[in-house]
Amino acid sequence: MIIGILKEQADNRVALVPKTLKKFNVEQTEFRIEKGAGSLASYPDEKYEKYATVTDREALLKQSDILVTINPIPEKELKLIKKGALLVAIFSPFNNSELITKIKESGLQASSLDMIPRTTIAQTMDILSSMASIAGYRAVLLAAMESPGFFPMMITAAGSIKPSKVLVLGAGVAGLQAIATARRLGAIVEAFDVRAAAQEEVESLGAKFVEVPGAIDKRDAGGYAVEQTAEFIERQQQEVQKRAASSDVIITTAQILGKKAPVLLTKETVDQMKPGTIVIDLAASSGGNCELSEPGKTVIHKGVKIIGNSNLASEMPRDASFFYSNNVASYLKLLIKEGELHLDLNNEIIEKTILIKS
Ligand code: NAD
């Protein structure tokens, strides 16, 4: 069984790091890696040499039984891949149906790591949590660097400065990490979420939970939020508006699985915010929580800087790759039995993640 690790095209991370490869049985699994695949993540080829063969991309596409990446392999390369091979990546299948059809037509199999259920048993494979946690941390560091002011309170001979006010919209994995990081830097933090369970977590990190009554909170939605009514969203936007005007930094993370992200920060709200306020929209790629955000771009509106970046994990590539790699390894161990690919659809994790099986 040959497992190929490809170089990402527009991402600093690598899907498997050398330390993880050690955990596999060399008699049954053979790793091959594209030259330079880990270099941007601080894992040079020499570090892989003990556990994997360093080779070129075309050979990997032609020979691998499993190809592991973070982002999907570009469509134009599908025809080069060995028939029946399994592609393991984050496919975001709700937004990528055309690509999934092309993979199927190319006679390949596909498994999407973002579909791993949020259950205790799947925790070691949960790439969404590990990447969100990095994004939340990184978002606060980015905001602190971009902000024209201090995060902590400063009392100096040159004058006193009040701590920054940080507003976090969506207190899931990324939001909680953002709260914890902003608190460590000395900011005053407020957070919103529609899941009642988030309140205790927010408060335990020393932030204030802002409740908007009337949220739909389905406990059977696998830990995810569900879409809210238009009436609720409008009331929530008004509550956000009240707080946004006095905030120095707003980190938005609110998402709904398979749906467009809710708009919580309207243009009207941004109009009323202080110049110099920083907005980091982690939901930019799924529609954005801020009406003015654009994915992959920085927009400045009346002095408010809105950074739409849903790929901040790529900017901390060494540790992001380490987490992703451990998650992928746990997942691969579930699929490989005695050196053979065994896609048992009776297993909930496999059933939820396999998009195409031949
Ligand atoms: P996510 O990325 O889908 O969404 C981020 C947050 O936005 C969520 O907390 C969600 O409730 C919130 N949100 C959605 N709409 C909103 C709105 N209109 N206003 C305010 N907030 C809104 O979620 P996530 O961070 O990946 O995970 C959410 C939760 O799932 C976790 O906090 C946890 O409870 C659960 N979870 C469980 C496991 C596990 O058991 N293994 C693993 C990961 C996550």
Side-chain angles (χ1 to χ4, degrees):
M1 157 92 46
I2 299 173
I3 303 179
I5 309 159
L6 288 170
K7 186 170 167 58
E8 299 296 315
Q9 303 295 288
D11 199 303
N12 301 326
R13 293 168 293 175
V14 60
L16 280 161
V17 307
K19 214 172 175 180
T20 313
L21 303 187
K22 264 193 225 173
K23 298 180 188 168
F24 285 83
N25 181 342
V26 286
E27 311 274 299
Q28 297 175 346
T29 43
E30 180 188 340
F31 286 97
R32 297 190 188 171
I33 182 159
E34 183 179 347
K35 201 170 176 314
S39 58
L40 293 176
S42 312
Y43 301 99
D45 289 346
E46 307 84 82
K47 296 259 182 213
Y48 283 95
E49 275 165 2
K50 220 164 128 190
Y51 317 102
T53 310
V54 180
T55 181
D56 67 86
R57 188 172 181 93
E58 207 176 317
L60 268 183
L61 294 171
K62 282 188 178 142
Q63 294 161 3
S64 304
D65 300 297
I66 301 180
L67 278 162
V68 189
T69 54
I70 298 171
N71 301 285
I73 296 172
E75 208 182 296
K76 62 178 188 311
E77 289 184 325
L78 295 178
K79 58 179 182 304
L80 303 174
I81 302 171
K82 179 176 166 181
K83 293 278 166 286
L86 174 71
L87 313 185
V88 177
I90 302 175
F91 285 104
S92 309
F94 296 115
N95 308 321
N96 266 330
S97 56
E98 242 176 67
L99 175 68
I100 310 299
T101 309
K102 290 267 157 51
I103 296 172
K104 196 170 182 178
E105 285 168 1
S106 306
L108 305 169
Q109 310 191 79
S111 164
S112 199
L113 293 171
D114 50 330
M115 299 308 290
I116 284 176
R118 316 305 284 274
T119 54
T120 312
I121 196 164
Q123 252 172 6
T124 56
M125 308 169 201
D126 186 356
I127 54 109
L128 286 183
S129 288
S130 43
M131 295 305 110
S133 169
I134 292 174
Y137 167 80
R138 197 76 189 176
V140 171
L141 297 189
L142 177 60
M145 289 300 288
E146 291 285 346
S147 172
F150 277 111
F151 260 45
M153 178 165 72
M154 298 297 284
I155 301 173
T156 78
S160 298
I161 286 168
K162 286 185 189 155
S164 282
K165 281 192 180 168
V166 176
L167 184 62
V168 176
L169 306 179
V173 182
L176 290 173
Q177 191 59 252
I179 294 169
T181 309
R183 291 284 301 138
R184 281 184 210 123
L185 287 177
I188 294 173
V189 186
E190 288 185 326
F192 277 80
D193 204 296
V194 285
R195 291 176 305 106
Q199 175 161 6
E200 204 185 316
E201 294 166 331
V202 166
E203 288 171 351
S204 73
L205 292 169
K208 185 179 169 206
F209 185 77
V210 186
E211 201 182 344
V212 182
I216 310 167
D217 182 6
K218 284 201 179 149
R219 285 178 191 279
D220 57 359
Y224 289 109
V226 292
E227 216 164 9
Q228 303 297 316
T229 61
E231 187 265 26
F232 174 86
I233 292 284
E234 204 182 311
R235 271 190 299 122
Q236 195 185 15
Q237 285 171 346
Q238 284 160 11
E239 277 304 316
V240 170
Q241 192 167 104
K242 281 188 209 157
R243 283 158 176 89
S246 62
S247 298
D248 301 291
V249 165
I250 305 180
I251 312 275
T252 76
T253 78
Q255 310 220 48
I256 300 153
L257 182 71
K259 302 256 162 65
K260 191 181 168 302
V263 173
L264 305 178
L265 211 54
T266 60
K267 177 178 172 296
E268 191 194 323
T269 302
V270 180
D271 280 340
Q272 294 173 26
M273 282 157 52
K274 297 181 289 188
T277 306
I278 306 296
V279 177
I280 312 276
D281 192 344
L282 296 183
S285 68
S286 53
N289 293 142
C290 176
E291 199 177 348
L292 300 176
S293 67
E294 288 185 40
K297 293 205 174 132
T298 297
V299 175
I300 298 179
H301 180 81
K302 297 188 179 166
V304 175
K305 198 180 246 191
I306 304 151
I307 302 174
N309 192 336
S310 298
N311 202 22
L312 283 175
S314 166
E315 292 177 23
M316 218 171 83
R318 188 197 63 200
D319 289 353
S321 303
F322 175 69
F323 281 169
Y324 190 93
S325 180
N326 285 336
N327 292 147
V328 172
S330 295
Y331 180 69
L332 290 179
K333 288 198 166 180
L334 191 73
L335 306 185
I336 302 169
K337 297 268 172 283
E338 281 155 22
E340 297 290 323
L341 194 57
H342 187 65
L343 303 181
D344 175 9
L345 296 183
N346 291 317
N347 179 300
E348 191 205 356
I349 302 171
I350 301 178
E351 190 263 327
K352 288 253 166 25
T353 48
I354 292 292
L355 304 177
I356 308 160
K357 182 179 182 297
S358 56

